[in-house]
Amino acid sequence: MSLLDVRDLTVTYAGGAAAVRGVDLRLEAGRKLGIAGESGCGKSTLALALLRLLPAGTRTGGQILLDGEDVLTMKWGRVRAVRWAGASIVFQGAMHSLNPVHRIGDQIAEPILLHRRATPAGARRKAGELLEHVGLPAARATDHPHELSGGQRQRVMIAMALACDPRLIIADEPTTALDVMIQAQILRLIEQLVADQDVGLIMISHDLAVLADTCDRLAVMYAGRVVEEGPAGQVHEAARHPYARALSAAFPRIGDPASRFAPRGLAGDPPDPFALPAGCAFHPRCPVALESCAVEDQALRPAGPGRRAACVRVAEDTSGDTRAHEPERHGPERQGPGAHVPEPQESSPQEPGPREPGPRSLEEVRRTTP
């Protein structure tokens, strides 16, 4: 039995905004699942739905099976217990999630007191151990959040998430607004904790490269649906869905001149959840859309070993590369995925012309300076 099994999950906010539409996901203990997509594609809504943290008036459907128990049908007392002991969440923006007037040790100890029925002294001791576990001295337990750096506050949030030994950790952009050095430290810390404690991890991020480096599998969301899912490295390096490929191409690659001189992007924005287009929701922005895409929605279908993608091109292309169907477009206006970048041509040898004046060496400056 899987640690987490999400089946046909739907989330509709008050007013009719369809934020999550028929999502299916599965996660085993000790494994890491990344979820990527633009802002407004339903990633954070999905994370909140897993622990029933959505605002009042929100309608949900489907099933969220945590260790075989449906979170959506639990009584509230059971939900409160599951939120710490069964699954916990690390929110983005630790400064906004921590209480500024309470010491961090007290905030870590609070769920231990409530869910583990420990003594105050035992809870404080456990809080100090958790701080050391995430790389902070136990003495920092007496600090207030404003006395810590951004990376240290994020470590405190991770310590809180581990306070009651949950089986599942949900990290919603845990490295947002951190510099690259601290980001790397936090990601390595999360990976080590997952390996040591055999917990499941769901990590949400805009950065496919980070998810490909950290997670085992990757799901790409668009307009409330998963449009591609598979091994993280394969989805990042050779995406099958045009949207997933556009996300991957938006990041420059070290050593690839084409990504430097011809930056790629995707025009437009995700659709308004109050007015989703007919057919495939991505077709208004898709560079390889067919006429049928405007009227026929696309469900996830096999796209290789252990992979799924919601694109009609996947069924047509037996070679496994949807870029074969992309129309040729030339010129500087082509900035979307699969942009044509002309290869540099070798020039014929020419007689050397007059040498352009260049920067002089320090020794030349000294010889010519009176």
Side-chain angles (χ1 to χ4, degrees):
M1 181 175 60
S2 301
L3 170 62
L4 178 70
D5 193 358
V6 179
R7 301 177 181 176
D8 196 26
L9 178 64
T10 61
V11 177
T12 305
Y13 286 115
V20 175
R21 305 183 297 135
V23 167
D24 295 293
L25 291 173
R26 181 172 294 178
L27 178 66
E28 307 292 338
R31 309 297 287 179
K32 296 162 289 186
L33 172 66
I35 300 178
E38 293 172 283
S39 296
C41 286
K43 308 182 304 298
S44 294
T45 296
L46 173 62
L48 295 175
L50 296 179
L51 292 178
R52 283 174 61 177
L53 294 171
L54 296 165
T58 304
R59 302 192 307 274
T60 57
Q63 291 181 306
I64 301 174
L65 302 178
L66 182 63
D67 279 326
E69 190 175 2
D70 192 354
V71 175
L72 297 180
T73 60
M74 290 178 181
K75 295 184 178 180
W76 276 111
R78 178 61 180 154
V79 172
R80 285 193 292 268
V82 164
R83 280 177 180 170
W84 286 97
S88 58
I89 187 167
V90 180
F91 294 103
Q92 62 177 325
M95 192 61 184
H96 303 293
S97 302
L98 295 170
N99 192 319
V101 300
H102 290 295
R103 302 181 189 276
I104 61 172
D106 295 336
Q107 297 187 57
I108 298 173
E110 182 179 4
I112 301 173
L113 290 169
L114 292 175
H115 295 273
R116 291 290 181 251
R117 298 181 180 179
T119 63
R124 287 193 297 270
R125 182 170 58 253
K126 177 68 172 177
E129 294 173 356
L130 287 167
L131 286 175
E132 292 183 344
H133 196 43
V134 298
L136 290 176
R140 302 303 298 267
T142 58
D143 290 348
H144 289 85
H146 72 272
E147 298 177 277
L148 304 176
S149 69
Q152 290 172 331
R153 287 194 293 265
Q154 203 65 55
R155 291 172 185 265
V156 171
M157 290 295 299
I158 295 172
M160 291 180 65
L162 296 170
C164 297
D165 302 314
R167 296 258 293 147
L168 171 66
I169 297 176
I170 304 165
D172 188 0
E173 303 202 40
T175 58
T176 297
L178 299 181
D179 62 74
V180 292
M181 295 297 293
I182 299 301
Q183 173 178 280
Q185 294 175 20
I186 295 297
L187 292 175
R188 297 290 84 80
L189 170 63
I190 292 175
E191 285 187 282
Q192 191 63 44
L193 293 174
V194 171
D196 291 346
Q197 302 192 18
D198 197 36
V199 301
L201 172 70
I202 293 179
M203 179 177 289
I204 296 171
S205 177
H206 294 278
D207 194 333
L208 265 70
V210 166
L211 295 178
D213 185 53
T214 306
C215 299
D216 305 303
R217 296 186 67 80
L218 175 60
V220 178
M221 291 189 67
Y222 186 80
R225 284 188 173 176
V226 174
V227 296
E228 183 162 354
E229 190 261 341
Q234 294 181 26
V235 174
H236 177 50
E237 296 294 336
R240 301 296 310 279
H241 193 281
Y243 176 67
R245 191 166 60 250
L247 288 183
S248 179
F251 293 90
R253 299 175 187 270
I254 297 176
D256 180 10
S259 67
R260 292 176 53 205
F261 298 114
R264 301 176 181 182
L266 186 63
D269 299 298
D272 185 348
F274 287 98
L276 293 170
C280 174
F282 183 60
H283 87 266
R285 306 171 70 191
C286 181
V288 295
L290 302 174
E291 291 184 3
S292 60
C293 297
V295 293
E296 298 177 9
D297 203 352
Q298 300 298 320
L300 287 169
R301 65 189 75 197
R307 299 182 64 177
R308 300 181 299 163
C311 180
V312 67
R313 297 292 194 181
V314 173
E316 293 181 353
D317 188 7
T318 58
S319 68
D321 187 1
T322 58
R323 284 173 289 188
H325 298 280
E326 193 163 338
E328 286 291 334
R329 301 182 189 178
H330 304 277
E333 74 279 358
R334 175 66 170 149
Q335 296 295 326
H340 175 74
V341 181
E343 295 291 334
Q345 301 295 324
E346 293 187 3
S347 58
S348 58
Q350 297 179 355
E351 291 296 328
R355 180 180 175 182
E356 293 292 331
R360 295 182 299 172
S361 67
L362 181 60
E363 187 61 30
E364 291 177 323
V365 173
R366 286 175 177 169
R367 289 200 306 264
T368 57
T369 302

